Amino acid sequence: MASADLLRREEEFYSSLFDSAKGDGAKSRSQLIERKIELLEDMATKVSNRRSRKWMNDRLLIELVPRLHVEEIKGLFAPPPWGEEVPLSAFCRTSVGEWDAFRSIDMDAEARLMQHMKRSSQKPRNHVDEGELIALNAWHRIDRQTREAIKRNFLPDLLEIYEERVRAFIEDTSDKDVLMMNVQDPFQRLLLHGVCEFYNVTSTTTSSVRDGRPWKTTTIKKRQGTGVPSRITLVNFLRMKKNGSH
């Protein structure tokens, strides 16, 4: 059993634990807390019962933590749904009449409307996808080294000039079956070969001498499988890839 002195201390501690004004009106709150902590520490060393020691240790921790104000307690439960007000949903902001009209729509009319919206949304999307797919296949016809060169040093103005010449040659319905182009710069000639591969035409470069200097001539011919040029040009396709549209 606890001694009489310990019981007296415990009774004195209980009487002052939750009432800071009773018997301690002249003392400040900090002095009162220090006194309570001293009593708790002294009692914790003299009580042998495990449950009592646990209770005293818990009370000691409580005394060490300053009491929270109303706003601080509210802050512990700030996340919704306890603290801040939850914003109204779209359904709550919708007036009753509009919501009732939506709920009471005829099922047959709803089915026709959804089918019409589905068809209207699929038509342009499929058209775009088909054009992009054709351009993608044409892009993969170009060998990897040329593709890397085109992407690394993108020259849209020069590529558009080559594309205009090749597209006009493909769309020409006359008996002209050969297009001759004289491109002397090696890199620019590589770009020309890439454009020809994109539009599925053959391109061969031959060397000759003109005025005592080497001269390069690129001969472009249609293939048996050469068809209508892609709706999406090579320059437009590369810009789409750069912008993340494909």
Side-chain angles (χ1 to χ4, degrees):
M1 296 180 58
S3 63
D5 181 62
L6 180 59
L7 292 175
R8 181 182 60 77
R9 286 170 174 265
E10 186 177 357
E11 182 179 357
E12 183 182 10
F13 168 71
Y14 289 155
S15 64
S16 63
L17 184 60
F18 299 107
D19 189 1
S20 61
K22 184 178 179 181
D24 293 298
K27 296 184 178 181
S28 65
R29 172 171 171 77
S30 60
Q31 292 175 332
L32 180 61
I33 292 176
E34 290 179 1
R35 180 168 173 266
K36 290 179 181 180
I37 292 174
E38 290 176 358
L39 286 172
L40 283 167
E41 291 176 341
D42 187 32
M43 292 172 62
T45 59
K46 296 181 179 181
V47 174
S48 60
N49 184 280
R50 178 179 296 179
R51 181 175 299 177
S52 299
R53 289 177 62 86
K54 183 178 183 300
W55 184 90
M56 289 181 183
N57 289 333
D58 291 342
R59 302 311 304 175
L60 178 61
L61 291 176
I62 292 174
E63 289 298 331
L64 290 174
V65 177
R67 295 186 180 182
L68 299 178
H69 300 292
V70 175
E71 294 299 327
E72 293 174 333
I73 296 175
K74 182 181 178 182
L76 297 175
F77 305 94
W82 296 288
E84 303 297 333
E85 295 184 0
V86 181
L88 295 176
S89 65
F91 294 106
C92 296
R93 294 195 298 267
T94 305
S95 61
V96 178
E98 294 177 352
W99 180 238
D100 288 341
F102 177 78
R103 290 188 302 173
S104 60
I105 187 173
D106 181 70
M107 296 181 64
D108 294 334
E110 179 185 2
R112 290 194 297 270
L113 177 62
M114 296 297 293
Q115 190 67 22
H116 175 72
M117 293 177 62
K118 183 178 180 180
R119 287 197 301 265
S120 61
S121 62
Q122 284 180 345
K123 285 181 179 179
R125 184 173 58 188
N126 291 340
H127 182 66
V128 172
D129 290 345
E130 183 180 359
E132 291 182 358
L133 181 60
I134 294 174
L136 180 62
N137 293 332
W139 170 250
H140 285 295
R141 273 199 302 265
I142 305 174
D143 66 274
R144 184 179 60 84
Q145 181 181 0
T146 306
R147 290 202 305 265
E148 293 298 327
I150 294 174
K151 291 190 296 183
R152 185 169 57 251
N153 191 8
F154 183 46
L155 302 175
D157 294 338
L158 181 61
L159 288 173
E160 285 178 343
I161 293 174
Y162 292 162
E163 284 196 275
E164 290 176 2
R165 295 288 304 274
V166 173
R167 290 176 71 95
F169 169 65
I170 295 174
E171 294 171 349
D172 188 1
T173 56
S174 65
D175 295 336
K176 182 180 179 181
D177 57 354
V178 175
L179 173 64
M180 310 289 289
M181 295 186 66
N182 299 313
V183 180
Q184 304 307 307
D185 183 80
F187 180 75
Q188 294 180 6
R189 197 162 55 248
L190 179 65
L191 297 183
L192 176 59
H193 286 297
V195 171
C196 292
E197 291 175 343
F198 184 84
Y199 287 101
N200 197 25
V201 293
T202 63
S203 57
T204 305
T205 298
T206 57
S207 301
S208 60
V209 177
R210 178 178 294 185
D211 297 332
R213 296 184 303 173
W215 188 257
K216 302 290 185 180
T217 302
T218 302
T219 304
I220 301 172
K221 295 182 179 181
K222 299 177 184 177
R223 286 195 177 104
Q224 187 174 0
T226 302
V228 179
S230 169
R231 180 179 58 85
I232 301 177
T233 65
L234 175 59
V235 173
N236 290 338
F237 176 76
L238 292 174
R239 284 172 175 163
M240 291 168 57
K241 286 178 65 67
K242 184 176 181 180
N243 297 332
S245 301
H246 189 274

